[in-house]
């Protein structure tokens, strides 16, 4: 079946870890899927089959997606993975160097009004410098606020921790230290030997 290309321009201030790439908010969103349905009256877009959203450096992929828009023009996007798979996102972060954030879960929700992304079921958030992993967080639920650069991990898919729930896990890599400057040999003060 041929893919249907849906070109939608909407202002998503998409998430990131050290602030999402600022230029992304000014880019158009290009969405491909096997099929799509748009209801302009209700401001709802439904996409199914190999859904891919690309907006600047942001790429989100899933089996299906639902995009709704409020009266002010803000979008709320939910991506669902196909059975046995995970929905994913990847985006460049602002800052010096080649900084990226990646995430995956069975369901990914993004609210561009608050710039919060929520990862539900088998959630994983990874920060990278180039291809080097710097931090990894795993849990049943992860919420990330790109404006405040804060994320929370919970042990249940409901978004709250429960006493009988599992655990969350974080791995933080040691920071790479700059090489120490070589010490120059001390020079004697003038007139002294």
């Amino acid at each position: 079946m041929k893919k249907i290309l849906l070109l939608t321009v909407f202002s998503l201030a998409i998430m990131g870890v050290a602030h999402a790439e600022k230029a992304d908010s000014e880019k158009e969103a290009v969405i491909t899927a096997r099929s799509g349905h748009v209801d302009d009256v209700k401001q709802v877009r439904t996409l199914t089959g190999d859904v891919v959203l690309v907006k600047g450096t942001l790429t989100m992929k899933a089996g299906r997606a639902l995009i709704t828009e409020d009266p002010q023009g803000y979008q709320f996007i939910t991506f669902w993975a196909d059975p046995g798979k995970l929905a994913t996102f990847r985006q460049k972060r602002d800052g010096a160097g080649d900084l990226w954030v990646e995430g995956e879960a069975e369901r990914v929700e993004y609210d561009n009004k608050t710039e919060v992304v929520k990862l539900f079921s088998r959630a994983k958030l990874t920060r990278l410098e180039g291809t080097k992993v710097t931090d990894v967080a795993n849990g049943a639920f992860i919420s990330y606020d790109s404006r405040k650069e804060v994320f929370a991990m919970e042990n249940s898919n409901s978004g709250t921790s429960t006493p009988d729930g599992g655990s969350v896990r974080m791995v933080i890599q040691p920071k790479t230290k700059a090489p120490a400057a070589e010490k120059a040999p001390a020079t004697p003060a003038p007139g002294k030997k």
Side-chain angles (χ1 to χ4, degrees):
M1 177 188 280
K2 279 189 161 183
K3 286 190 176 188
I4 297 173
L5 175 65
L6 298 173
L7 177 61
T8 309
V9 178
F10 51 93
S11 59
L12 288 174
I14 302 295
M15 62 87 226
V17 172
H19 295 294
E21 178 87 357
K22 288 183 179 102
D24 287 350
S25 65
E26 299 170 7
K27 303 284 170 91
E28 66 185 10
V30 178
I31 305 167
T32 58
R34 294 196 185 276
S35 64
H37 180 267
V38 177
D39 183 334
D40 281 333
V41 173
K42 294 181 181 176
Q43 293 298 302
V44 175
R45 295 166 181 92
T46 306
L47 305 148
T48 55
D50 299 324
V51 180
V52 178
L53 178 144
V54 177
K55 183 173 176 63
T57 67
L58 173 76
T59 301
M60 298 180 86
K61 298 178 181 181
R64 63 187 173 103
L66 179 70
I67 303 170
T68 58
E69 188 172 316
D70 70 14
Q72 292 79 34
Y74 292 106
Q75 290 80 34
F76 183 81
I77 307 169
T78 303
F79 283 88
W80 291 274
D82 284 331
K85 295 185 179 181
L86 297 172
T88 64
F89 74 89
R90 176 177 167 85
Q91 185 175 33
K92 183 152 183 9
R93 299 180 287 148
D94 278 337
D98 190 21
L99 306 175
W100 292 85
V101 61
E102 296 178 341
E104 61 186 27
E106 290 179 12
R107 184 174 89 229
V108 177
E109 294 180 358
Y110 178 73
D111 182 338
N112 89 298
K113 184 175 186 175
T114 61
E115 296 185 41
V116 171
V117 66
K118 295 178 180 177
L119 308 169
F120 296 86
S121 292
R122 298 182 359 201
K124 180 179 179 181
L125 187 71
T126 306
R127 293 192 291 184
L128 302 111
E129 289 180 15
T131 58
K132 181 185 173 203
V133 173
T134 58
D135 305 302
V136 178
N138 299 84
F141 172 86
I142 299 174
S143 175
Y144 178 75
D145 181 328
S146 67
R147 288 180 184 166
K148 297 177 183 174
E149 298 184 41
V150 172
F151 68 92
M153 302 180 301
E154 306 296 344
N155 69 2
S156 74
N157 295 335
S158 68
T160 59
S161 287
T162 60
D164 57 342
S167 60
V168 297
R169 181 173 192 251
M170 185 184 305
V171 177
I172 303 170
Q173 298 297 324
K175 300 290 182 210
T176 304
K177 295 180 182 174
E182 291 185 37
K183 292 185 178 182
T187 54
K192 293 188 179 181
K193 291 190 178 184

